[in-house]
Amino acid sequence: MATSQTRRRPGRPPGASETRDRILSSARELFARNGFNNTPIRAIAADAGVDPALVHHYFGTKTQLFAAAIHIPFDPMSVIGPLREVPVEQIGRTLPSLVLPLWDSDAGKGFIAALRSTMAGGDGPEMSLFRSFLQDVITVEVGGRVDDPPGTGRLRVQFVASQLIGVVMARYILELEPFKSLPVPQIVDTIAPNLQRYLTGDLPRLG
């Protein structure tokens, strides 16, 4: 791993662009290696050779830094934040209502491009980042609210992820018609009952 000393350009303080890039490089490396929860801002700052306040200055919150590290061109809290206020029995409809318009937007094209690149690259660092985002961010935010019976929250979120990843594949990667051209409300109406069943319905007995 390159150290903060080797990343710095000798002879003069780094410029703003170089500092930002160095922070982002450290964040990608540490998030991929340790996961979201086990990577504090101060560790990223130390690896990049900057003050933690500078990380917040360039990227805002830890979640926003993570989004930048995995090339999500919008703040994940724009989805996660509203979900916190939604009753559990409405999450299955609210979630696709929030994410589908984002994926359809100009900003969402960057996310789809990053996901396509990650899938083509196999199980490398970027895949580790996406996996950490699902397990450490989404599962923590949603899984705890649907962990009934105890121990099923993580699996419930993974079932939801499988459905939404299928939508991404069919609509944005494979671009299957007529699915690609369906209005967002029609897709939401179709998949929402399944998502809600994954979140709050009975699951097959495991083990």
Side-chain angles (χ1 to χ4, degrees):
M1 179 186 75
T3 65
S4 59
Q5 286 76 20
T6 60
R7 287 195 183 110
R8 290 180 178 175
R9 181 181 300 169
R12 65 180 179 85
S17 178
E18 182 182 349
T19 300
R20 189 181 189 281
D21 290 345
R22 194 168 68 246
I23 293 170
L24 202 53
S25 176
S26 293
R28 287 195 183 106
E29 187 172 330
L30 294 179
F31 280 139
R33 185 196 310 157
N34 303 322
F36 179 84
N37 288 337
N38 296 323
T39 305
I41 287 289
R42 64 180 180 273
I44 295 170
D47 189 73
V50 301
D51 188 276
L54 204 56
V55 179
H56 291 292
H57 170 73
Y58 283 114
F59 295 98
T61 66
K62 179 179 172 181
T63 304
Q64 289 171 318
L65 173 58
F66 193 86
I70 60 176
H71 307 292
I72 297 179
F74 48 81
D75 183 358
M77 292 308 298
S78 64
V79 175
I80 295 172
L83 281 181
R84 292 174 175 171
E85 308 300 322
V86 173
V88 169
E89 63 272 13
Q90 297 177 19
I91 294 178
R93 173 169 294 275
T94 304
L95 181 57
S97 298
L98 291 171
V99 299
L100 278 166
L102 283 174
W103 292 342
D104 275 353
S105 69
D106 288 339
K109 293 177 183 177
F111 169 69
I112 300 302
L115 184 59
R116 183 184 288 111
S117 174
T118 298
M119 295 172 65
D123 194 18
E126 287 192 341
M127 186 64 75
S128 295
L129 289 171
F130 273 100
R131 186 181 297 118
S132 178
F133 179 66
L134 173 62
Q135 294 179 343
D136 297 340
V137 179
I138 302 299
T139 298
V140 168
E141 288 288 340
V142 179
R145 299 184 63 194
V146 295
D147 193 35
D148 184 21
T152 63
R154 176 179 294 268
L155 181 60
R156 290 180 183 278
V157 171
Q158 290 176 355
F159 271 118
V160 170
S162 72
Q163 179 92 66
L164 294 177
I165 290 170
V167 171
V168 170
M169 286 295 299
R171 186 173 176 87
Y172 306 103
I173 306 296
L174 299 177
E175 298 184 342
L176 300 178
E177 291 289 4
F179 189 72
K180 176 187 173 184
S181 300
L182 288 180
V184 166
Q186 187 172 349
I187 298 177
V188 171
D189 287 343
T190 304
I191 69 174
N194 276 343
L195 298 183
Q196 194 61 48
R197 180 170 61 86
Y198 294 150
L199 291 168
T200 56
D202 291 334
L203 294 177
R205 186 181 299 274
L206 303 177

